[in-house]
């Protein structure tokens, strides 16, 4: 593609008349004749990493203005400055990769539940996914480093997925929205799951966090908003969406969901070892009636997640009744309230819950399954929101019998300092143990179980690594449980 086409309307500078066959924003992936996009990041600029040899190799350099380019005087003929390039990379990449999907693109945002909703969408429809667990079809996922990749990678992945998936459901993080990673992604349907404290190391406060999430619903391409009306932020968002002329499909158990033109009211929620069920009072533009939801996944909150997935697909033109029937064949998501039968009437639950609200919800659901003891192994990530650490302990204190505090990706922080922060919560410390080594903590919890007891192993879910310092080493909660179980069976 000609460079002039890629940058049309994005800069007033002279654009070299050259053909671009590849592009990158990673200085370690440069190839001869490529286009290098040099953005201003949070801590550095893309031009910081270019050597003379790199500049000789590159076909053209598009850089974010405001950077002193005097050291690049020999390569000025290759350089094109673009104001606010980081806001325009998505458009440039879309022009280059030209993703073409046959079905509506669905974006899912919220603090908790994004992975489950996108996974349920994929199970119900054959959609591909992009998110925390990777991208691709759900049986063959490619690893990602971020929930929502950078702007260039998003468009490249969408183009790849369009070759074998009709539609895509994407997890859209608040970081992605704040940093313009999805600025030119043509979402048709936007889903809001819930909002609770997280990422306040990045966002100034909850208002800033909500403002970032809300951006998805302001996209001109979004025609339908699927929103959890039980959530206070969701209720506000649904009101705004309706006011702005968007179709709002609101669901929940609170009576206020009936304030909207189109809604699904949830009642009679029941949990069992076989899964969850609920009665749905449906009031949509083309269908009013009563439906039953019956699905073999655990967790009261999964009523919301399954319903969000079904309504998102309904918004693309599929039959809600058919989708709810298909929900009877859903399976749980790896590392999301995932039960492992330990024998002797004991169960381990592996879950990704790493926010206070997620822990509250998972523990509340587990409490409905047992009157016996619930042990909870948990920790908090290093170099992340410190304010939520004591709140995590308080969530465990409310609904679990015993909390076992351990390491969970301490990164460059001192693990003991993280645990000390957790212990500042308003908790009964006599019901908490501290075992820093995560393997030892899990094994300790498993050894305590008596008939009818459960252990929740929280925070990592599907992850297969532990980050200590800057080094990522292999670690799997699943493997620790299964190794322990194999030892008991010998």
């Amino acid at each position: 593609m000609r460079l002039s086409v890629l940058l049309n309307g994005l800069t007033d500078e002279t654009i070299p008349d050259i053909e671009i066959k590849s592009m990158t924003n990673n200085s370690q992936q440069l190839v001869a004749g490529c286009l290098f996009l040099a953005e201003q990041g949070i801590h550095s600029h893309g031009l910081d990493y270019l050597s003379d040899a790199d500049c000789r190799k590159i076909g053209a350099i598009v850089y974010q203005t405001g950077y002193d380019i005097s050291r690049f005087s020999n390569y000025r003929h290759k350089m094109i400055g673009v104001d606010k390039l980081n806001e325009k990379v998505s458009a440039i990449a879309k022009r280059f990769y030209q993703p073409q999907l046959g079905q509506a693109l669905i974006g899912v945002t919220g603090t908790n539940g994004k992975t489950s909703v996108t996974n349920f969408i994929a199970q119900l429809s054959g959609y591909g996914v992009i998110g925390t667990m990777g991208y691709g079809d759900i049986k063959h996922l490619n690893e990602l480093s971020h929930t929502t990749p950078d702007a260039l990678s998003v468009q490249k992945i969408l183009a790849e997925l369009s070759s074998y998936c009709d539609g895509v459901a994407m997890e859209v993080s608040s970081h992605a929205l704040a940093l313009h990673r999805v600025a030119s992604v043509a979402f048709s349907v936007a889903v809001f799951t819930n909002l609770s404290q997280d990422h306040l190391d990045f966002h100034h406060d909850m208002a800033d966090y909500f403002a970032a999430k809300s951006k998805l619903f302001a996209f001109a391409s979004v025609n339908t908003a699927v929103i959890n009306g039980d959530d206070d932020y969701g209720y506000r968002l649904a009101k705004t969406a309706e006011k702005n002329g968007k179709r709002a499909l609101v669901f929940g158990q609170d009576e206020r969901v009936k304030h909207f033109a189109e809604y699904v009211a949830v009642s009679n929620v029941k949990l069992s070892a076989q899964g969850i069920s609920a009665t749905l009072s449906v009031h949509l533009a083309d269908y009013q009636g009563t439906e039953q939801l019956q699905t073999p996944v655990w967790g009261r909150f999964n009523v919301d997640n399954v319903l969000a997935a079904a309504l998102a697909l309904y918004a693309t033109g599929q039959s809600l009744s058919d989708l709810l029937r298909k929900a009877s064949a859903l399976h749980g998501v790896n590392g999301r309230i995932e039960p492992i039968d330990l024998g002797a009437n004991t169960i381990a639950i592996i879950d990704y819950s790493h926010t206070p609200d997620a822990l509250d919800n998972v523990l509340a659901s587990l409490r409905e399954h047992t009157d016996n003891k619930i042990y909870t192994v948990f920790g908090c990530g290093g170099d992340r929101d410190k304010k939520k650490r004591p709140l995590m302990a308080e969530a465990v204190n409310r609904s679990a019998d015993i909390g076992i505090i351990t390491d969970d990706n301490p990164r460059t922080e001192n693990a003991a300092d993280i645990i000390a922060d957790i212990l500042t919560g308003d908790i009964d410390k006599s019901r908490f143990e501290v075992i820093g080594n995560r393997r030892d903590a899990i094994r300790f919890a498993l050894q305590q179980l008596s008939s009818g007891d459960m252990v929740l192993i929280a925070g990592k879910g599907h992850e297969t690594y532990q980050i200590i310092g800057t080094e990522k080493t292999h670690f799997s909660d699943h493997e620790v449980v299964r190794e322990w179980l194999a030892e008991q069976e010998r």
Side-chain angles (χ1 to χ4, degrees):
M1 181 175 290
R2 307 304 291 181
L3 184 58
S4 58
V5 174
L6 287 176
L7 299 183
N8 182 41
L10 301 181
T11 181
D12 293 328
E13 294 195 14
T14 301
I15 302 172
D17 185 28
I18 60 173
E19 184 72 14
I20 298 298
K21 294 184 178 180
S22 67
M23 62 189 300
T24 183
N25 54 3
N26 187 336
S27 61
Q28 297 182 338
Q29 298 176 353
L30 301 174
V31 297
C34 73
L35 170 63
F36 179 59
L37 300 174
E39 302 170 60
Q40 175 63 59
I42 296 173
H43 302 295
S44 61
H45 194 289
L47 292 178
D48 294 340
Y49 303 97
L50 290 188
S51 66
D52 276 358
D54 291 332
C55 291
R56 287 193 293 272
K57 179 192 298 185
I58 293 169
I61 303 167
V62 173
Y63 69 95
Q64 189 157 333
T65 54
Y67 187 94
D68 180 3
I69 61 171
S70 56
R71 76 178 181 92
F72 297 101
S73 57
N74 292 336
Y75 311 102
R76 190 64 188 89
H77 61 288
K78 294 185 176 186
M79 302 182 73
I80 308 99
V82 174
D83 185 41
K84 298 180 180 179
L85 174 63
N86 56 340
E87 299 180 17
K88 300 168 183 174
V89 169
S90 183
I92 295 169
K94 184 175 184 177
R95 291 174 183 179
F96 184 79
Y97 293 111
Q98 301 182 21
Q100 301 288 332
L101 292 167
Q103 298 293 326
L105 184 58
I106 301 172
V108 182
T109 198
T111 304
N112 303 310
K114 296 187 295 296
T115 300
S116 293
V117 173
T118 55
N119 192 286
F120 292 149
I121 288 171
Q123 289 185 53
L124 291 170
S125 68
Y127 263 47
V129 298
I130 301 174
T132 305
M133 295 176 67
Y135 77 91
D137 71 72
I138 55 172
K139 294 180 181 178
H140 305 93
L141 293 174
N142 303 284
E143 187 176 349
L144 289 171
S145 59
H146 295 85
T147 297
T148 312
D150 66 87
L152 188 151
S153 297
V154 164
Q155 298 292 347
K156 186 176 182 180
I157 289 168
L158 285 173
E160 179 183 336
L161 291 180
S162 66
S163 68
Y164 59 90
C165 296
D166 284 337
V168 172
M170 183 192 304
E171 296 180 49
V172 185
S173 69
S174 58
H175 290 68
L177 289 160
L179 299 174
H180 314 287
R181 294 177 190 166
V182 293
S184 292
V185 176
F187 296 108
S188 296
V189 180
V191 179
F192 180 86
T193 59
N194 50 68
L195 195 77
S196 61
Q197 183 170 328
D198 201 11
H199 305 304
L200 296 190
D201 54 317
F202 179 81
H203 300 287
H204 300 302
D205 50 32
M206 287 298 293
D208 184 50
Y209 185 27
F210 178 54
K213 292 288 192 186
S214 300
K215 289 181 178 180
L216 177 61
F217 299 83
F219 278 36
S221 60
V222 169
N223 53 55
T224 304
V226 176
I227 295 176
N228 176 3
D230 287 342
D231 184 274
D232 289 342
Y233 289 103
Y235 184 80
R236 288 166 52 189
L237 191 59
K239 285 291 187 183
T240 301
E242 274 197 339
K243 182 180 177 181
N244 292 338
K246 307 282 188 184
R247 184 185 190 190
L249 305 179
V250 186
F251 64 90
Q253 297 182 58
D254 196 298
E255 280 293 309
R256 66 184 179 182
V257 303
K258 298 177 182 179
H259 297 171
F260 296 91
E262 295 186 88
Y263 64 84
V264 176
V266 180
S267 62
N268 197 30
V269 177
K270 295 180 180 178
L271 287 76
S272 70
Q274 287 70 49
I276 52 179
S277 63
T279 300
L280 308 179
S281 176
V282 181
H283 191 281
L284 300 172
D286 59 355
Y287 173 58
Q288 295 85 43
T290 301
E291 294 278 357
Q292 295 297 317
L293 171 64
Q294 186 88 37
T295 186
V297 296
W298 277 37
R300 179 177 289 270
F301 50 86
N302 268 325
V303 172
D304 293 339
N305 292 335
V306 172
L307 191 49
L311 285 172
L313 290 168
Y314 162 76
T316 72
Q318 298 189 39
S319 162
L320 182 61
S321 295
D322 288 348
L323 290 164
L324 292 174
R325 280 193 288 272
K326 287 181 182 179
S328 64
L330 290 173
H331 58 77
V333 181
N334 180 29
R336 270 58 177 179
I337 200 163
E338 179 183 355
I340 299 177
D341 187 351
L342 302 174
N345 195 30
T346 59
I347 295 176
I349 305 290
I350 295 179
D351 192 77
Y352 189 58
S353 48
H354 59 281
T355 68
D357 184 61
L359 263 181
D360 264 327
N361 288 332
V362 171
L363 286 167
S365 285
L366 295 184
R367 182 50 71 195
E368 295 186 66
H369 284 281
T370 184
D371 293 323
N372 291 64
K373 286 185 178 180
I374 298 177
Y375 293 78
T376 301
V377 179
F378 74 105
C380 290
D383 303 329
R384 297 294 186 269
D385 183 4
K386 294 184 179 182
K387 294 178 183 177
K388 74 177 183 182
R389 293 173 183 173
L391 302 180
M392 295 281 282
E394 291 171 10
V396 173
N397 192 72
R398 275 189 290 275
S399 300
D401 297 279
I402 302 293
I404 300 153
I405 304 171
T406 191
D407 294 345
D408 184 353
N409 297 335
R411 298 183 177 85
T412 63
E413 280 195 73
N414 185 309
D417 291 341
I418 297 172
I419 291 172
D421 287 344
I422 293 171
L423 287 168
T424 62
D426 184 11
I427 59 174
D428 177 1
K429 291 186 175 63
S430 69
R431 295 196 289 115
F432 286 78
E433 300 280 347
V434 174
I435 304 175
N437 182 286
R438 191 173 181 92
R439 181 181 301 275
D440 292 346
I442 294 170
R443 291 178 65 88
F444 172 82
L446 294 169
Q447 290 161 4
Q448 308 309 306
L449 300 181
S450 298
S451 178
D453 291 348
M454 293 182 177
V455 56
L456 170 64
I457 304 169
K460 300 191 77 64
H462 66 285
E463 290 180 352
T464 56
Y465 57 83
Q466 182 82 295
I467 305 173
I468 301 173
T470 57
E471 184 178 354
K472 181 185 285 189
T473 58
H474 181 78
F475 185 90
S476 165
D477 289 348
H478 291 83
E479 290 176 9
V480 176
V481 173
R482 297 197 184 284
E483 286 168 5
W484 180 87
L485 189 56
E487 291 172 10
Q488 309 313 303
E489 294 171 347
R490 287 174 189 162

